[in-house]
Amino acid sequence: AQEDRPPANLTADQLLDGLFTAEFSYRSCRSRYEFAGYHKKSSHKPSPYLLAKLRKQEALQKRCGPGTAAHKKALRRLKSGEGAATDAEDDGCRYLVNISFRGLGNRMLAVASAFLYAVLTERVLLVHWGKKDVADLFCEPFPHATWVLPRAGWRSPLRKLDDYDGESKMSLGNMLQSSAVGVSADGNVSWASPRTPPYVYLHLSGGYGYHDKLFYCGTHQRLLRDVPWLLMRTDSYMVPGLFLTPLFIEELEAMFPEKDAAFYHVGRYLFHPSNAVWHAVTSYYRSNLAGASRRVGIQIRVFQEKQPPQQVLEQLLSCVRDEKLLPVPEIKTANDTSSSNAVLVTSLSSWYYERLKDEYDGRLADGGVHQPSHEGEQRWGDAAHDMKALSEMYLLSTCDVLVTSGFSTFGYVAQGLGGLQPWVMPRIPSWDEWKEGQAAPEPPCRRALSVEPCFHSPSYYDCAARRDVELDKVKPYIRRCVDVSWGIKLV
Ligand code: GDP
């Protein structure tokens, strides 16, 4: 059908200044070319170097991805336990499998990080989404290729990916402590056997240990270079860590002259909500938000119901008041029609929305107070639940102003996609801490230093100096996060 061809005459805006090409059909994935229409015109342009790297990655995904002869051969070698191909056999196809887990925000940050790592190491990225189907949520990001890891055959190391953990014998950390790896006096590492192993598991989830953290060292990256398959388990936005890994710094600085726009570009390049999710986003937007001249997004994430709701509400109201995020009633006059504000609330609970409606609806927020869903609690393996979460992240990203709950990767994705520097509310004391006399955070919220997500589990180890260092003193563009004191972010 005519409509199913790639659309002609796409503008630079629709292609996000060259982030994507016009190779996809419009109908297969409406969000790809419509995204720009719902977001402010970008002030950050992707660098030509980044665009060149993206095109190179696309070619690699197409040449080596599932369905190609190269991929079949690589699977065969993996299953039979053969290590890296000899130079004569080598077709340049190496793979990175992202093992995703936790909530949607965590997964998206992890996939974005894995993608950048794949680009840096010239590997094909394949995504394992666990029991869920990634295609319910996202379109394919690479033209003429799939990023979905196909079902693995019996006895393949790719068979039970969710079982890999810090105890796995093929983890980098455990291999470094075994006879598989030789360590020289100057700290260089090499495989003990002349052939590299067929695969290595990278255990990079929070709470990982010293040996797994050596992933962020130049010498260990060299060790991994020829391994045909890497399996990576992480729930974090690792990109600031990659900016601290000697082998990658130069490349990353060239790809992202504006360091604080890394997720902004990668997230917009990689994630395109499926037609069903996009339909939910755009119809909700048109019915509830489009009429307002200014949209204020409020994301309230209460972790494990341990925080008293009344205190969370007061923190939010003080933040909105102190930072003048909504007009004050006394100042607004009856004939002031110059601007109208709509408030978009996202939360698992409807309680905050009800209170905000009492406080603001019809008075200050003439565009109304809106909440698309209140799911009650976080659910796993539920496609409809995830689709709501994703559509709300995208709705938040269309706002002009954002207030988010600290620590939440859900909020990070929204701010990153929208290019918004949110006001972040630090996590308030739990009931117990409250009883012990802890006070509410002061100020109630602080402006994030950049739109970038925070990396919650960095390695503090400086491989060259062989000691821990203050990570926010190494590079001018890496700082501590306002919401997570041990986390770092690009600014
Ligand atoms: P984090 O736990 O805040 O870092 O964010 P994640 O996205 O990783 O996990 C939280 C999950 O809880 C989400 O993916 C949703 O499934 C659910 N959730 C949390 N907050 C909201 C919300 O405001 N709206 C919806 N629809 N779901 C939410």
Side-chain angles (χ1 to χ4, degrees):
Q2 189 74 20
E3 216 196 317
D4 212 26
R5 296 218 192 101
N9 306 328
L10 285 167
T11 64
D13 282 350
Q14 286 169 310
L15 295 172
L16 301 186
D17 300 304
L19 271 192
F20 12 97
T21 58
E23 281 172 271
F24 290 90
S25 76
Y26 170 71
R27 263 210 316 220
S28 65
C29 184
R30 290 173 194 270
S31 65
R32 189 183 322 263
Y33 303 127
E34 283 183 9
F35 177 91
Y38 290 83
H39 290 83
K40 268 203 298 290
K41 205 170 148 55
S42 174
S43 54
H44 304 284
K45 301 270 181 264
S47 69
Y49 191 62
L50 173 63
L51 299 184
K53 296 292 270 192
L54 295 178
R55 299 295 90 83
K56 200 170 160 203
Q57 183 69 20
E58 288 167 0
L60 182 71
Q61 299 276 152
K62 187 173 160 190
R63 183 167 68 80
C64 304
T68 63
H71 182 251
K72 274 201 202 80
K73 195 170 93 192
L75 281 179
R76 223 174 16 243
R77 297 185 68 94
L78 175 66
K79 204 168 160 185
S80 65
E82 290 168 74
T86 59
D87 286 349
E89 304 161 319
D90 189 10
D91 54 11
C93 295
R94 274 171 274 275
Y95 299 84
L96 174 70
V97 177
N98 168 259
I99 306 171
S100 99
F101 69 113
R102 292 238 161 107
L104 196 53
N106 285 98
R107 286 166 184 251
M108 291 173 75
L109 296 182
V111 170
S113 310
F115 171 72
L116 258 191
Y117 181 67
V119 170
L120 290 166
T121 57
E122 299 177 11
R123 288 174 180 275
V124 175
L125 172 69
L126 296 174
V127 174
H128 165 73
W129 205 251
K131 290 192 184 66
K132 311 175 187 189
D133 193 354
V134 65
D136 285 340
L137 296 170
F138 301 107
C139 310
E140 293 281 355
F142 310 120
H144 315 295
T146 181
W147 68 340
V148 181
L149 182 79
R151 259 180 110 72
W154 290 107
R155 305 218 328 267
S156 163
L158 303 178
R159 180 81 185 174
K160 290 191 169 170
L161 289 170
D162 296 316
D163 290 354
Y164 285 95
D165 61 19
E167 305 295 303
S168 300
K169 136 173 149 286
M170 293 300 278
S171 76
L172 175 65
N174 289 329
M175 290 182 96
L176 288 172
Q177 297 174 78
S178 75
S179 55
V181 179
V183 186
S184 69
D186 58 0
N188 268 328
V189 286
S190 56
W191 299 112
S193 138
R195 277 208 156 183
T196 62
Y199 73 100
V200 172
Y201 164 65
L202 304 169
H203 185 69
L204 299 171
S205 54
Y208 58 145
Y210 168 79
H211 288 95
D212 285 312
K213 285 184 176 166
L214 296 176
F215 170 82
Y216 293 104
C217 298
T219 169
H220 295 80
Q221 282 302 326
R222 269 188 289 274
L223 181 76
L224 295 172
R225 197 139 59 181
D226 293 327
V227 177
W229 290 82
L230 294 180
L231 320 180
M232 174 188 281
R233 182 176 165 90
T234 179
D235 56 355
S236 298
Y237 183 65
M238 294 161 39
V239 175
L242 299 176
F243 266 94
L244 289 166
T245 305
L247 230 52
F248 305 140
I249 299 172
E250 229 173 278
E251 279 290 290
L252 284 169
E253 288 182 349
M255 283 158 72
F256 302 104
E258 299 175 300
K259 321 288 178 301
D260 58 343
F263 183 80
Y264 178 79
H265 293 310
V266 170
R268 286 172 167 221
Y269 169 74
L270 215 47
F271 300 116
H272 306 286
S274 63
N275 283 347
V277 174
W278 191 243
H279 177 74
V281 172
T282 53
S283 52
Y284 193 88
Y285 183 91
R286 279 198 299 270
S287 313
N288 300 290
L289 304 173
S293 53
R294 185 167 166 276
R295 284 160 284 274
V296 178
I298 296 178
Q299 181 241 353
I300 303 177
R301 178 86 168 105
V302 177
F303 288 89
Q304 299 148 358
E305 305 304 322
K306 280 185 185 150
Q307 274 87 27
Q310 189 61 41
Q311 317 292 349
V312 175
L313 178 70
E314 274 163 28
Q315 180 186 28
L316 170 66
L317 294 176
S318 316
C319 170
V320 171
R321 223 176 289 127
D322 293 359
E323 303 301 340
K324 304 184 176 54
L325 304 181
L326 283 168
V328 182
E330 287 78 14
I331 296 174
K332 197 171 157 85
T333 56
N335 54 8
D336 179 6
T337 52
S338 56
S339 76
S340 72
N341 291 274
V343 178
L344 172 73
V345 184
T346 78
S347 171
L348 286 169
S349 147
S350 60
W351 189 81
Y352 302 98
Y353 158 75
E354 304 285 352
R355 302 288 86 72
L356 285 164
K357 234 174 135 56
D358 293 345
E359 184 83 12
Y360 289 121
D361 208 9
R363 284 203 302 142
L364 317 178
D366 17 24
V369 181
H370 310 273
Q371 179 173 19
S373 80
H374 46 92
E375 288 284 279
E377 56 186 33
Q378 185 173 348
R379 282 181 237 147
W380 276 271
D382 178 336
H385 173 81
D386 282 353
M387 288 165 81
K388 283 183 195 158
L390 184 61
S391 65
E392 286 169 36
M393 288 177 189
Y394 274 82
L395 282 168
L396 285 171
S397 78
T398 66
C399 289
D400 302 285
V401 175
L402 212 54
V403 182
T404 60
S405 296
F407 270 89
S408 172
T409 58
F410 188 98
Y412 294 164
V413 171
Q415 79 197 38
L417 291 170
L420 301 160
Q421 229 171 304
W423 274 267
V424 186
M425 297 182 287
R427 197 189 284 195
I428 69 161
S430 66
W431 287 105
D432 290 343
E433 290 162 337
W434 209 268
K435 277 186 227 142
E436 284 162 15
Q438 270 200 37
E442 191 44 51
C445 61
R446 290 166 68 186
R447 193 87 194 258
L449 296 175
S450 71
V451 310
E452 280 281 299
C454 176
F455 179 23
H456 290 180
S457 48
S459 166
Y460 282 80
Y461 188 68
D462 180 321
C463 315
R466 297 203 201 180
R467 59 177 167 76
D468 283 356
V469 292
E470 297 277 353
L471 291 181
D472 54 343
K473 304 220 163 64
V474 181
K475 293 274 175 197
Y477 52 77
I478 293 181
R479 288 279 166 272
R480 279 177 194 268
C481 314
V482 297
D483 54 334
V484 180
S485 59
W486 58 89
I488 53 168
K489 72 185 297 183
L490 297 165
V491 295

